[in-house]
Amino acid sequence: MCSATEQRLWAQLSVFAGSCGLEAAEQVCTGDSAPHRLLDVLSSLVDKSILVREEAGSVVRFRMLEVLRDYGRSKLQEAGRYHDLRRRHRDWYRQLALEAEAHWISREQPDWVARLGREQPNLREALEYCLSEDTEEAGEAGLQTASALWEFWVFRGLYGEGRSWIERVLAHPGARSIPDRVKALRVGSQMAAMQGAFPSAVMLLQEGRELTEHSPTPMLRAQMDHASGALALVRSEPERAAPYLERAIDVYRADRTGHLHIHALNALGWTYELRGDTAKAIEHQRNLISITEECGELLYRSVALRSMGVAEWRRGEVNRAQELIGESLRVGRPLDSPIAVAFGLEAMAWIANDRNDTERAAVLMGAAHEIWPARSSLATVFANFSRFHEECEQSARTALGEAEFNRAFQRGRAMDTAGARAYALGEEPTAATAETGSTTTLTKRERQVAHLVARGLSNKQIATELFISPRTAQGHVEHILTKLGFTSRTQIAAWIVDETNQRSSRP
C-alpha cells in the first residue's frame, strides 16, 4: 500500500527511538523527496497508520509503533543503509546536545529543557550507537554528547543515568581527544560527588589532572580546579573548595554568561553559605541573580534565590528568607527541576519549624524526600546542611509525636512536584494539580505500563509482559513520569491506587 518513497522514509525513520520532530526527520533522513516535500510523505504515512502524529501545544512529533520500527529497520539493513542513517542520527543528536549546552544560560532554557526531555530516547539511542563503533569518531561523539547533557541530567535529578553514560563513553577505546576527555572527567567527577561516590570522583579527577599535564591549557586546568572545588564542597570542606573555584572563575570570567562560569559562581556561593559567611554569601548570590536575570536564565537564578534565603534565615531574617525561597520556587516553576524544588521545600521546612508550625515542616520534609532523586539523600549531600535537616526533624518529631510526624511526613511524600510547590507557597492546588494524571492524559499503552508499575514490575518485566523491548518500556515509564509531573515509580503506583479507589466510589 506504500509507494517507494513512503517505504524508503519508513525505513529511514526506524533509526529514531520513540518519536521525532520534523526538523530531525529532515536532517537525518534522505529520500526521493526534497525536504520541503517531507511533510507530505510523513502525512501520508500517518494516513496509512505507519506513523502516529502526536501534538502537544505547538510541538508536533511522529511516533512509530515498535513492531513497525523493527520491520523498517530490517528493510534499512537489507538496503545497506542502516549504519549510514545511524551515523546521521548520532551526529544530529550530538549537535542538538551541544546547541543546548551553548544556549543553556539564556531565555531559551525552558525550551531546551523541554526539548531534551522529549528527545531523551533518541539521545540514548545516539549514545548507544557511539558505543557500538570502535572508532575515534564514535568515541569523540560519545564524549561530546554525554558531557553536553550534564546540566540537564543534574537539574532533572538523573545522576545515575548521567554517570552511567559518562563512565561508558570514557571506557570507549576511541575516546582519546584530550579536551573532550577532560571535560567528560570533570562532569563524571561532579556527578559522582553529588551521589556521595567520593572514591570514583577522586579517581576521575586524578585522571583529568594527569591529562592536563600533557596539554596544560588554562581552560583544561580551570575545569580540573572546578571539579576539585565541587568535590571539596560536597565533602563539606568549604575552606578547600573556595581557592579551587576562585581559580576556575578567573578563567571562566571571559565568558560571563557561559554555563561553566555560572555553575562555578553558584558553587562558590554554596561555599560561602557552608562556611557560615552569610554576608559574603548574600553579596555573591545578588551578583549571580543579577547576571542570570540579565540573560533570562531561570534554574541558577532559582538556586541563587534559595541560597540567599537560607543565608538570611541563618542571620535571623525569617520573613525575608521565606520571601526569597518562595520567589525561588516561583522562578523555577516553568522548569520543574526536582533538585531545585527539593532544596526549596527543605529550606521552607526549616522556616516552618522555626515558627513552631511543626506539622507543616514534617509535610515539607516528606515532599522533599520523595522528590529528591533516587540513590541520593538531602541529608548527605552537604554535611553542614544535614545538621539543619536533623535539627528540624528532631524538633518536629518531639513536638508532634512519632505517629503524627509520620502521618504528616507521608502526606508530603504523596504529593507530586506541582502539589508540593503549591503547598509550600500557600497556593490553592489547580485542577491539574489536584487531579494529576486524569484518564485522558495517558495513552492506552502508557496506562497499561502504569498499572504494571503499580504491581511492582521492573522495566524488564514490563517488557516481557507487553512483548516490547526494555528500552521501550523505560521510555513509556519516563513519559508517564513527565506527563503526570511525578519523579518516582512510587508516585505512579499511588496515583493508580487513588484512581482505582475513586472509580470504585463513584455511583
Side-chain angles (χ1 to χ4, degrees), residues 364-410:
L364 289 165
M365 281 192 288
H369 175 87
E370 188 63 28
I371 291 169
W372 191 259
R375 295 183 58 197
S376 189
S377 167
L378 273 170
T380 58
V381 172
F382 301 110
N384 286 17
F385 293 159
S386 73
R387 173 169 63 86
F388 302 139
H389 174 88
E390 289 162 8
E391 288 173 358
C392 181
E393 181 176 344
Q394 184 58 46
S395 174
R397 283 185 184 276
T398 301
L400 294 173
E402 197 69 21
E404 190 60 34
F405 175 88
N406 288 336
R407 277 193 290 273
F409 191 85
Q410 291 304 317

Side-chain angles (χ1 to χ4, degrees), residues 42-54:
L42 288 168
S43 298
S44 181
L45 289 174
V46 170
D47 291 340
K48 294 177 179 178
S49 300
I50 304 304
L51 296 176
V52 177
R53 186 180 186 275
E54 299 178 334

Side-chain angles (χ1 to χ4, degrees), residues 13 27 48 61 92 100 135 259 269 322 338 356 361 378 407 412 474 487:
L13 290 170
Q27 296 297 321
K48 294 177 179 178
R61 296 180 68 81
W92 165 251
T135 65
H259 69 282
Q322 181 161 329
N356 296 318
L378 273 170
R407 277 193 290 273
Q474 180 181 3
T487 56

Side-chain angles (χ1 to χ4, degrees), residues 15-16 28 85-93 122 126:
V15 300
F16 289 97
V28 175
L85 266 293
R86 287 298 301 274
R87 290 188 190 102
R88 290 170 67 88
H89 179 276
R90 176 199 70 195
D91 291 343
W92 165 251
Y93 282 100
N122 280 304

Side-chain angles (χ1 to χ4, degrees), residues 440-451:
T440 59
T441 301
L442 303 184
T443 65
K444 182 178 178 181
R445 175 63 91 186
E446 287 167 349
R447 291 188 63 76
Q448 288 177 315
V449 172
H451 279 279

